[in-house]
């Protein structure tokens, strides 16, 4: 049989729909690869093989009966353990939730299943999804398939590792501070943070979230190909009554000016020389494709957005977060929450009101900037992928790592979609660049991302190093 990983999502689904390939064979081949490769990675931490095979057989029967399944017909996907999936524990990487069994699917997963996707496994994250490193007491540590000394990223580190290793064509991730974009960057694949409201998400098992996550946390896809992200986004998206922000916005819009702002040092960060070189390569690729690339004299503020995002996520409800982390006993979660404890102590209703007011002004400024130049090319991170568990080295390390992540952390506050595109792997170290687009215009970022992918190359499936 043709290796499923040699095909794009579009081609794989078409082959299954027309009978060239059968969903049970594709699912079995993917599960065989998971059985061989995943023990070295620990990317998939909840086994869905029995359900996957049954779903594939049912899909195959429908096809043979003349039904026409959707755009992800028979496509193997993975789901992060932060999301409800019927019959599985929504652990969010904690022992506290090891028995929190979902009785329904999160709406984005319901949408993916309606398009024919087959869930082959559930992927790891750090406890409470707080870190850019994916280890916890419940599921263990996830390994970067390119280099075991490096983090696979977080919080969707299992998704990034699984995608790079060919353990599913599309991985579900979540992103409130880079948790899709950073694992994609660290594992040498592609990752899309959609506009808030684009992809509906709600966990009946856990109920509603605090105001910051409600406004800024999103679900979205990771994949090895940009077009796979496009199809994954389309399948996840759509209105769902459970999610108050859910918006059935069109997946594409009118043509936008092909003008790009190249921003090398957003917020005053100083990127690694290789990252700066990647940005130059990306700018050249876009220019050769007819895009107008310019370095703006000024840019709306990102550093204030970075600070406000941290407060709305970590300072709000800090006492409850810290109590849960203490009960869990997770070193990474405790290190982060203790680092921000003094700042959280100053958080009150007046600070919340100020943060929400300033957020509106920053969003307005960024929307005005993007109206004229509707794409920004900037780093994903100021540093190449971090050393595994580097945030456990003490407060100075945490401060440095968070400052390096400013280009990712600031974007969620602004309500903008952003795409991490792999620029390749050198000496076992991945890198990449980030594209930021106007609200609801993921299509514009994906169009530019495909230009970069053609120049940088499509990430290849990797076996653990």
């Amino acid at each position: 049989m043709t290796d499923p990983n040699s095909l794009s999502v579009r081609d794989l689904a078409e082959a299954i729909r027309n009978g060239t390939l059968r969903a049970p064979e594709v699912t079995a081949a993917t599960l065989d690869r998971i059985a061989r490769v995943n023990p070295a990675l620990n990317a998939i931490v909840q086994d869905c093989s029995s359900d996957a095979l049954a779903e594939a057989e049912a899909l195959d029967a429908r096809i043979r009966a003349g039904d026409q399944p959707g755009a992800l017909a028979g496509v193997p996907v993975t789901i992060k353990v932060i999301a409800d999936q019927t019959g599985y524990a929504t652990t969010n990487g904690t022992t506290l939730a090891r028995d929190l069994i979902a009785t329904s699917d999160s709406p984005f997963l319901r949408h993916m299943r309606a398009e024919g996707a087959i869930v082959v496994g559930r992927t790891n994250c750090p406890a409470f999804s707080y870190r850019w490193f994916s280890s916890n007491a419940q599921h263990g540590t996830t390994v970067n398939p390119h280099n075991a000394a490096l983090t696979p990223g977080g919080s969707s580190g299992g998704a990034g590792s699984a995608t790079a290793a060919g353990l599913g064509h599309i991985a579900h991730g979540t992103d409130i501070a880079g948790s899709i974009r950073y694992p994609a960057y660290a594992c040498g694949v592609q990752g899309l943070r959609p506009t808030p409201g684009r992809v509906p998400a709600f966990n009946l098992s856990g109920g509603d979230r605090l105001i910051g996550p409600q406004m800024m946390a999103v679900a979205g896809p990771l994949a090895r190909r940009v077009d796979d992200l496009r199809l994954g986004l389309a399948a996840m998206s759509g209105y769902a009554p459970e999610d108050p922000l859910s918006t059935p916005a069109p997946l594409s819009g009118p043509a936008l000016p092909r003008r790009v702002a190249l921003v090398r040092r957003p917020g005053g960060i100083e990127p690694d020389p290789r990252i700066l070189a990647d940005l130059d390569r990306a700018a050249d690729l876009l220019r050769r494709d007819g895009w107008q690339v310019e370095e703006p004299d000024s840019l709306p503020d990102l550093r204030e957005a970075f600070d406000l995002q941290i407060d709305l996520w970590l300072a709000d409800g800090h006492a409850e977060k810290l109590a849960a982390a203490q009960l869990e006993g997770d070193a990474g979660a405790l290190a982060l929450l203790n680092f921000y404890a003094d700042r959280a102590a100053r958080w009150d209703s007046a600070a919340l009101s100020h943060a929400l007011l300033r957020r509106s002004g920053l969003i307005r400024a960024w929307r005005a900037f993007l109206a004229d130049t509707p794409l920004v090319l900037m780093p994903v991170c100021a540093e190449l992928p971090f050393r595994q568990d580097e945030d456990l080295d003490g407060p100075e390390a945490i401060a440095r790592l968070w400052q390096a992540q400013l280009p990712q952390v600031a974007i969620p506050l602004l309500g903008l979609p952003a795409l991490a595109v792999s620029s390749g792997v050198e000496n076992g170290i991945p890198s990449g660049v980030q594209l930021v687009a106007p609200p609801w215009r993921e299509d514009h970022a994906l169009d530019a991302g495909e230009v970069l992918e053609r120049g940088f190359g499509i990430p290849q499936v990797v076996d653990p190093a």
Side-chain angles (χ1 to χ4, degrees):
M1 186 188 77
T2 301
D3 178 6
N5 279 318
S6 68
L7 300 175
S8 68
V9 165
R10 197 177 296 274
D11 290 342
L12 178 61
E14 177 57 28
I16 290 172
R17 282 192 296 268
N18 66 29
T20 304
L21 293 174
R22 295 182 58 234
E25 296 172 339
V26 170
T27 301
T30 304
L31 293 173
D32 286 346
R33 180 164 178 81
I34 292 171
R36 293 195 312 272
V37 173
N38 190 60
L41 298 177
N42 196 41
I44 292 174
V45 294
Q46 290 180 347
D47 177 22
C48 300
S49 55
S50 295
D51 286 342
L53 288 168
E55 291 166 17
E57 290 287 355
L59 180 68
D60 187 60
R62 286 176 49 207
I63 292 171
R64 286 186 281 110
D67 286 354
Q68 285 296 312
L72 300 188
V75 172
V77 304
T78 60
I79 304 298
K80 185 178 176 182
V81 293
I82 198 174
D84 275 1
Q85 179 179 336
T86 304
Y88 294 86
T90 308
T91 68
N92 198 11
T94 70
T95 61
L96 298 175
R98 61 161 58 107
D99 298 321
L100 188 64
I101 307 300
T103 58
S104 61
D105 288 343
S106 187
F108 78 86
L109 176 54
R110 188 171 68 236
H111 292 176
M112 294 181 82
R113 290 190 194 276
E115 293 294 331
I118 305 294
V119 181
V120 293
R122 288 169 58 80
T123 55
N124 203 16
C125 64
F128 308 103
S129 290
Y130 284 152
R131 303 167 62 211
W132 291 298
F133 308 84
S134 292
S135 60
N136 58 70
Q138 174 63 22
H139 302 301
T141 297
T142 295
V143 172
N144 188 320
H146 292 284
N147 188 333
L150 302 178
T151 178
S155 62
S156 308
S161 179
T163 302
L167 311 184
H169 276 59
I170 297 171
H172 155 260
T174 61
D175 188 315
I176 192 174
S179 288
I180 288 172
R181 292 162 289 155
Y182 190 64
Y185 171 78
C187 292
V189 297
Q190 329 290 25
L192 176 65
R193 173 192 163 82
T195 307
R198 169 72 77 189
V199 175
F202 174 71
N203 286 339
L204 183 64
S205 67
D208 290 313
R209 302 168 292 181
L210 292 174
I211 186 64
Q214 283 192 40
M215 293 188 302
M216 299 183 298
V218 301
L222 297 88
R224 292 185 300 280
R225 296 172 175 85
V226 172
D227 188 56
D228 294 356
L229 294 180
R230 196 185 297 273
L231 293 178
L233 177 68
M236 292 178 171
S237 298
Y239 176 74
E242 304 99 311
D243 185 344
L245 291 181
S246 171
T247 305
L251 288 163
S252 61
L256 293 174
R258 302 213 303 170
R259 286 196 292 271
V260 183
L262 170 59
V263 181
R264 301 171 189 274
R265 296 172 176 83
I269 63 169
E270 185 54 52
D272 183 274
R274 179 176 162 197
I275 295 167
L276 292 173
D278 287 341
L279 290 170
D280 288 340
R281 291 168 59 206
D284 287 343
L285 289 167
L286 290 168
R287 286 190 188 100
R288 289 202 293 269
D289 195 63
W291 297 67
Q292 179 183 346
V293 182
E294 298 178 348
E295 297 189 53
D297 294 331
S298 62
L299 192 73
D301 186 84
L302 275 177
R303 187 157 289 278
E304 185 182 7
F306 169 82
D307 289 332
L308 293 176
Q309 195 275 354
I310 293 171
D311 286 339
L312 283 166
W313 177 31
L314 295 178
D316 195 37
H318 182 272
E320 293 79 8
K321 291 180 172 70
L322 183 59
Q326 289 170 337
L327 192 59
E328 179 69 21
D330 184 82
L334 288 169
L336 176 63
L337 293 170
N338 284 327
F339 180 82
Y340 283 111
D342 290 344
R343 186 164 166 171
R346 300 189 294 272
W347 184 257
D348 56 18
S349 60
L352 172 61
S353 179
H354 171 76
L356 294 176
L357 285 171
R358 288 300 304 141
R359 174 177 177 265
S360 292
L362 291 167
I363 290 174
R364 190 177 303 112
W366 268 91
R367 289 189 175 192
F369 180 86
L370 290 166
D372 181 66
T373 306
L375 196 69
V376 179
L377 170 63
M378 67 169 71
V380 178
C381 178
E383 299 186 17
L384 296 172
F386 305 142
R387 176 171 44 83
Q388 184 76 284
D389 291 332
E390 193 170 355
D391 61 336
L392 301 183
D393 289 350
E396 290 184 1
I398 293 176
R400 192 196 91 241
L401 300 181
W402 274 74
Q403 290 299 314
Q405 297 282 51
L406 180 146
Q408 293 178 82
V409 176
I411 296 302
L413 184 104
L414 303 171
L416 302 174
L419 171 66
V421 181
S422 172
S423 59
V425 181
E426 297 179 9
N427 301 316
I429 302 175
S431 185
V433 299
Q434 181 173 207
L435 296 169
V436 180
W440 309 109
R441 295 311 304 267
E442 294 88 351
D443 61 321
H444 192 60
L446 291 166
D447 288 346
E450 288 179 324
V451 174
L452 300 186
E453 182 181 67
R454 288 195 293 272
F456 288 147
I458 295 172
Q460 300 300 302
V461 172
V462 61
D463 290 317

